[in-house]
Amino acid sequence: MKRRTFLQRSSLVSLAPFVPAFLPQAAGAMTAETDDRILVVLQLNGGNDGLNTVVPFADEHYAKHRPGLKIDTDDVLKLNESIGLHPQMKPLADLFEASKLAIVNGVGYPNPNPNRSHFESMDIWHSARLNESDRTGHGWLGRAVDTQRDQHTNSTDSDAVFIGDAEIPVALRGRRANAISLNSEAELRLFASVGKPAAKSNNDQGITAFLRRTVDPSYTAAQKFAESAPAAKNGNYPGSDLGKKMELLSRMIKLGGNTRIFYASQGGYDTHYAQRMNHGNLRRDFSRSVAAFQKDMDESGLAERVTLLAFSEFGRRVAENGSAGTDHGTARPVFLAGAKIKPGLHGTYPSLSDLDDGDLKMTVDFRSIYSALLRNWLQVTDNSVLNGTFAPINVIQKPGFSNFKRSAMLFCH
């Protein structure tokens, strides 16, 4: 082999085992079940301001606490007579109207001293463990995957694909859960651009044989992905980082395969100053990306298999600060989208007149949402995953497929 070719091929070795894991050409992959369900989890990093996302416009205390940041009643996208969405969230308001969006208000966790550390709060959500001493480095979805792995001991598939350039989230880690990292579509295209190795020869040995065994299956998978680009591109997605991630996820789902966990996130929600414009832009990008993804799933005939969960590690304080922003708070709304969710408003909106040291009091334990997804969507026993039993919130339909064999999960971080 020429030195340049060797270096190109060698650079793919670390990626090669990953690529076929979520594409149907993978050697040894299990046959995909057509009734597999997919869960899309979108993490909103930084602490999303719930009050200016799901706006309590009819509450007189809202304007009193936020004289500069309040959203005018006439601009709110009203969901009922008292609350509505940020004016930049029209695509999600349309999903709500179409009965494909559920909003759970007042979500948090019971703790007399809520943790306002980004890292600690996210670790609580990822692990589903309030006490640090109870955390083992495994996440709630990693433990759910472990349960599935115990039933599919011969599977060589990757259980999760993390879309991003940070560490794989704790939520995806388990005893046996196999999570890999993919930064962008470019990593897939790298395989196709290098060129397929020459036909197998009786003289193959050593490095040449090793590279062929490693790269060949990945090349086949990546080549199909590259060839799907013209037909798969969808102009509904925004050109933002989040929009590109959601479009990439959609294309992976459409190609089939057995991996069911993809994780990605949207950052920028730590709005301590100049919040109005920044938060509005984030809300627009989030809404457009989620709505485009849902439309894509509808048009692809996959909508009944896909549910999206969007959360943030904490909300913001009720009162605005002196820098035209908001500081770390507690309770916040959680979104679920899809054809199989129970649409509408869930949970009780926290009172703005009965605060806990300036913070909203949580009304829904986040683990009740996890419980609903585990029991009614993924068909996983939740008490072992969540280290306890939590009454599932009635936000998702139970599996109705006639041949539900394998749970399915998709994440975006």
Side-chain angles (χ1 to χ4, degrees):
M1 301 174 73
K2 293 181 179 180
R3 182 175 181 275
R4 181 179 180 182
T5 302
F6 171 79
L7 291 175
Q8 286 178 321
R9 299 263 172 85
S10 298
S11 69
L12 301 181
V13 172
S14 63
L15 286 175
F18 303 157
V19 176
F22 56 83
L23 295 179
Q25 292 78 18
M30 294 194 304
T31 301
E33 300 293 342
T34 57
D35 55 9
D36 278 349
R37 289 188 167 195
I38 295 169
L39 173 64
V40 181
V41 178
L42 179 55
Q43 181 175 301
L44 311 180
N45 286 337
N48 176 45
D49 180 23
L51 279 179
N52 276 17
T53 296
V54 182
V55 186
F57 64 87
D59 191 324
E60 62 179 356
H61 296 91
Y62 171 65
K64 290 179 180 179
H65 285 294
R66 298 198 166 186
L69 287 181
K70 70 178 184 297
I71 296 175
D72 293 338
T73 298
D74 291 343
D75 295 331
V76 174
L77 303 172
K78 297 176 179 60
L79 304 179
N80 61 19
E81 67 283 353
S82 60
I83 67 174
L85 292 176
H86 188 286
Q88 294 286 4
M89 299 178 71
K90 181 64 164 60
L92 281 197
D94 292 341
L95 278 186
F96 188 90
E97 184 67 22
S99 297
K100 293 180 180 178
L101 182 71
I103 302 173
V104 186
N105 290 301
V107 182
Y109 49 86
N111 192 321
N113 298 298
N115 195 295
R116 291 187 175 86
S117 161
H118 292 290
F119 302 104
E120 180 72 11
S121 296
M122 193 63 79
D123 205 26
I124 289 172
W125 276 79
H126 283 181
S127 66
R129 300 285 193 272
L130 301 188
N131 298 319
E132 186 176 2
S133 59
D134 294 333
R135 299 174 204 150
T136 62
H138 298 159
W140 72 286
L141 286 156
R143 292 191 292 270
V145 166
D146 287 341
T147 301
Q148 295 299 313
R149 276 277 172 183
D150 290 341
Q151 301 172 14
H152 299 279
T153 56
N154 295 324
S155 172
T156 60
D157 293 2
S158 292
D159 302 294
V161 174
F162 167 61
I163 307 295
D165 56 4
E167 290 185 4
I168 292 175
V170 172
L172 306 181
R173 302 175 190 170
R175 291 181 298 104
R176 302 180 61 200
N178 178 18
I180 62 140
S181 176
L182 178 66
N183 190 32
S184 69
E185 178 182 332
E187 291 187 357
L188 292 173
R189 294 191 174 281
L190 182 60
F191 287 90
S193 66
V194 167
K196 187 173 183 178
K200 184 177 181 180
S201 163
N202 291 332
N203 295 324
D204 280 357
Q205 57 183 343
I207 285 290
T208 303
F210 170 72
L211 289 176
R212 186 182 308 285
R213 289 194 304 271
T214 308
V215 174
D216 259 349
S218 299
Y219 172 83
T220 303
Q223 186 66 23
K224 181 172 181 180
F225 182 90
E227 292 171 352
S228 73
K233 284 290 185 181
N234 189 315
N236 292 321
Y237 290 93
S240 63
D241 181 62
L242 178 60
K244 292 175 182 177
K245 289 176 181 177
M246 299 303 290
E247 183 178 17
L248 178 59
L249 294 175
S250 169
R251 292 172 59 194
M252 290 178 179
I253 296 171
K254 293 175 188 176
L255 281 175
N258 297 300
T259 298
R260 290 296 180 265
I261 304 177
F262 296 79
Y263 207 112
S265 71
Q266 181 192 30
Y269 284 92
D270 200 14
T271 52
H272 287 284
Y273 60 90
Q275 174 175 308
R276 180 177 291 277
M277 180 177 294
N278 291 336
H279 192 249
N281 291 337
L282 289 166
R283 295 293 74 197
R284 180 176 66 251
D285 186 23
F286 168 77
S287 299
R288 291 178 61 199
S289 298
V290 170
F293 181 81
Q294 183 61 45
K295 181 179 180 181
D296 205 353
M297 294 299 97
D298 289 339
E299 294 175 348
S300 302
L302 296 166
E304 293 196 350
R305 293 179 53 205
V306 180
T307 290
L308 180 145
L309 167 70
F311 78 98
S312 192
E313 69 265 38
F314 46 60
R316 316 297 293 185
R317 301 277 281 180
V318 173
E320 62 186 61
N321 61 28
S323 301
T326 53
D327 299 323
H328 299 179
T330 53
R332 81 297 264 154
V334 165
F335 294 87
L336 294 100
K340 287 295 184 177
I341 53 93
K342 294 189 175 181
L345 299 170
H346 300 262
T348 301
Y349 203 103
S351 171
L352 271 67
S353 60
D354 181 21
L355 303 178
D356 183 5
D357 191 26
D359 278 320
L360 297 172
K361 294 181 178 179
M362 78 96 176
T363 59
V364 175
D365 192 316
F366 76 102
R367 291 166 294 184
S368 68
I369 300 175
Y370 286 179
S371 178
L373 291 168
L374 290 166
R375 292 190 197 183
N376 300 336
W377 188 250
L378 306 177
Q379 290 194 324
V380 173
T381 304
D382 63 314
N383 56 353
S384 60
V385 173
L386 301 179
N387 197 28
T389 301
F390 301 89
I393 190 168
N394 189 24
V395 75
I396 195 163
Q397 299 179 27
K398 294 181 179 180
F401 297 125
S402 60
N403 186 30
F404 188 91
K405 292 185 178 179
R406 188 181 180 207
S407 299
M409 296 171 276
L410 170 101
F411 293 76
C412 319
H413 180 79

